[in-house]
Amino acid sequence: MSKKAFHIYNIIIFLLLLAFNTLALFGAVISEGGVYSYIWLTTGLSFVFWVICYIVQFLRSDKAWRISWFIIMLVLLFFWQTGLGASVSKMIV
């Protein structure tokens, strides 16, 4: 895979992350309780994790490095978005 392909895959993941977080925030806004601070923290930190993994992928030009960090990013964001982020955010806030 070329460097351009990694950029395209990362942008696709970013757009999916943006859509999922927008949907989650919209659901929180229309609920009775409003948007709690842990929801803002969870959605904000998911973008921070994406940026960190995106930068780390391009620190080295080795394809194995990029593929492994892309997979790590997918697994991290999957678990973060499916409940780990809310649990950690509730403990912090």
Side-chain angles (χ1 to χ4, degrees), residues 1-13 50 54 57-58 60-63 66 70:
M1 289 193 296
S2 66
K3 195 173 190 179
K4 187 175 181 178
F6 276 106
H7 286 295
I8 291 170
Y9 295 147
N10 279 302
I11 296 301
I12 290 171
I13 295 299
W50 180 83
Y54 183 75
Q57 284 179 33
F58 293 99
R60 292 175 43 188
S61 62
D62 188 19
K63 286 185 183 179
R66 288 186 184 151
F70 185 75

Side-chain angles (χ1 to χ4, degrees), residues 13-34:
I13 295 299
F14 176 75
L15 292 175
L16 288 172
L17 187 65
L18 184 65
F20 185 77
N21 283 340
T22 303
L23 187 64
L25 286 173
F26 179 73
V29 166
I30 64 172
S31 69
E32 293 179 17

